[in-house]
């Protein structure tokens, strides 16, 4: 296990300040790896966990350093939902294949997932309205920066997806990438590495992400979700999340607070 930790340190460029810190991190790494290996060995879920860049963090440290979404996304006073009457929805939508999604980004230690969620949705609607895919600046949102004279992209507002309805969310995602909030604080989410994620998670919304599509294949339904934890997390930075669950909030609360920009 010590060798495994050393190899992991090299892989992710991790350097510790002293021997005490290294020993502390090794103990956490060892516990996480044992739990990950035990989960995968059970082989009773449609997803797997992996030893990723967060393997030397406790779950508490991980959620404190990464998940920056707290409270509510901005609430739109208007109640319009322009996709309300959408019918004949395609069974599968993937905005990546339509050139409306930029490569995976990494928020690092900044708890600014909300900015990545909003920007990815803006990048999508900009592509749909102008035909151009432009990587926009999350930093500009974090800085509340308004001084740029030449705007790379423009929106005229946003609409909320009716809450607690995966059907409504599907209508929206069929038309454009959508900002969503989820509960991403659990151990399984921290170390998700692939497959269709089925939980465990609650509805304590703490991470802003972007729904960039959905799939229905052989009776299996899932959302295609873009995260901002870098491409070494999940499936090259993405997670497939189970769709049409019993809870009206959707898995991990994905249907609770969704919204999309209008242009």
């Amino acid at each position: 296990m010590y060798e495994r930790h050393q190899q992991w340190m090299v892989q992710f460029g991790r350097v510790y300040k002293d021997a005490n810190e290294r020993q502390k991190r090794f103990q956490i790494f060892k516990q996480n790896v044992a739990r990950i290996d035990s989960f995968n060995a059970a082989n009773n879920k449609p997803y797997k966990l992996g030893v990723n860049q967060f393997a030397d963090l406790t779950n508490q440290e991980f959620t404190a350093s990464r998940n920056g979404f707290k409270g509510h996304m901005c609430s739109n006073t208007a109640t319009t939902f322009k996709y309300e009457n959408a019918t004949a929805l395609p069974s599968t939508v993937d905005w990546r294949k339509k050139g409306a999604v930029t490569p995976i980004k990494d928020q690092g230690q900044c708890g600014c997932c909300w900015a990545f969620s909003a920007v990815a949705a803006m990048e999508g609607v900009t592509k749909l309205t102008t035909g151009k895919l432009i990587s926009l600046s999350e930093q500009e949102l974090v800085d509340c920066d308004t001084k740029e004279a030449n705007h790379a992209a423009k929106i005229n507002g946003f609409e909320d997806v009716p809450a607690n309805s995966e059907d409504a969310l599907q209508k929206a995602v069929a038309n454009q990438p959508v900002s969503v909030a989820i509960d991403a604080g659990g151990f399984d989410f921290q170390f998700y590495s692939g497959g269709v994620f089925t939980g465990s998670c609650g509805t304590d919304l703490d991470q802003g992400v972007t729904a960039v599509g959905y799939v229905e294949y052989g009776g299996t339904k899932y959302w295609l979700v873009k995260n901002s934890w870098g491409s070494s997390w999940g499936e090259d930075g993405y997670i497939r999340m189970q769709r049409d669950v019993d809870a009206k909030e959707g898995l991990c609360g994905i249907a609770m607070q969704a919204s999309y920009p209008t242009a």
Side-chain angles (χ1 to χ4, degrees):
M1 187 62 76
Y2 191 79
E3 284 290 320
R4 198 167 170 182
H5 184 224
Q6 279 193 307
Q7 292 169 0
W8 176 88
M9 287 175 63
V10 171
Q11 180 183 356
F12 291 104
R14 189 75 86 251
V15 177
Y16 301 120
K17 62 181 180 181
D18 55 35
N20 287 339
E21 177 69 11
R22 177 170 177 157
Q23 183 60 25
K24 174 186 174 183
R25 292 297 153 192
F26 171 64
Q27 293 301 326
I28 295 169
F29 177 88
K30 186 166 64 171
Q31 291 169 5
N32 283 336
V33 169
R35 191 169 167 185
I36 290 167
D37 288 348
S38 175
F39 176 93
N40 290 335
N43 198 31
N44 60 355
K45 296 285 177 66
Y47 62 97
K48 293 292 184 185
L49 306 185
V51 182
N52 59 25
Q53 69 268 42
F54 307 128
D56 68 344
L57 299 177
T58 66
N59 185 249
Q60 290 78 9
E61 289 172 329
F62 167 75
T63 54
S65 68
R66 286 272 158 176
N67 298 340
F69 179 88
K70 295 296 178 189
H72 299 272
M73 287 190 181
C74 298
S75 182
N76 197 348
T77 53
T79 57
T80 57
F81 176 49
K82 65 180 178 180
Y83 302 126
E84 181 67 51
N85 298 319
T87 56
L89 301 179
S91 61
T92 293
V93 171
D94 188 342
W95 288 109
R96 296 173 299 182
K97 294 180 179 177
K98 298 182 180 181
V101 184
T102 58
I104 287 291
K105 302 176 184 181
D106 191 343
Q107 71 188 65
Q109 294 298 307
C110 176
C112 51
C113 55
W114 59 269
F116 287 84
S117 174
V119 162
M122 287 178 62
E123 290 168 343
V125 77
T126 299
K127 164 67 176 179
L128 293 174
T129 54
T130 69
K132 297 178 181 178
L133 180 64
I134 305 169
S135 182
L136 300 173
S137 170
E138 291 80 10
Q139 188 66 55
E140 193 167 320
L141 294 189
V142 174
D143 292 344
C144 300
D145 188 3
T146 59
K147 67 186 177 287
E148 183 59 55
N150 298 314
H151 297 153
K154 184 179 179 181
I155 62 171
N156 58 32
F158 73 96
E159 294 179 349
D160 292 327
V161 177
N164 301 323
S165 170
E166 287 195 273
D167 287 342
L169 183 56
Q170 182 187 4
K171 291 178 181 178
V173 176
N175 285 278
Q176 66 185 93
V178 174
S179 292
V180 295
I182 58 173
D183 182 342
F187 183 91
D188 286 11
F189 212 100
Q190 179 177 350
F191 294 110
Y192 167 82
S193 70
V196 178
F197 186 74
T198 57
S200 48
C201 55
T203 56
D204 181 15
L205 307 179
D206 60 7
Q207 178 74 3
V209 293
T210 315
V212 298
Y214 60 82
V215 171
E216 181 175 348
Y217 179 75
T220 300
K221 296 181 179 181
Y222 55 85
W223 299 106
L224 297 170
V225 177
K226 184 185 187 186
N227 204 348
S228 54
W229 292 343
S231 57
S232 56
W233 177 86
E235 295 182 328
D236 297 322
Y238 290 87
I239 181 170
R240 289 182 280 164
M241 295 180 62
Q242 185 181 16
R243 183 164 66 91
D244 281 356
V245 299
D246 291 337
K248 67 183 190 303
E249 301 87 359
L251 187 69
C252 307
I254 193 171
M256 292 173 69
Q257 290 185 34
S259 60
Y260 53 88
T262 56

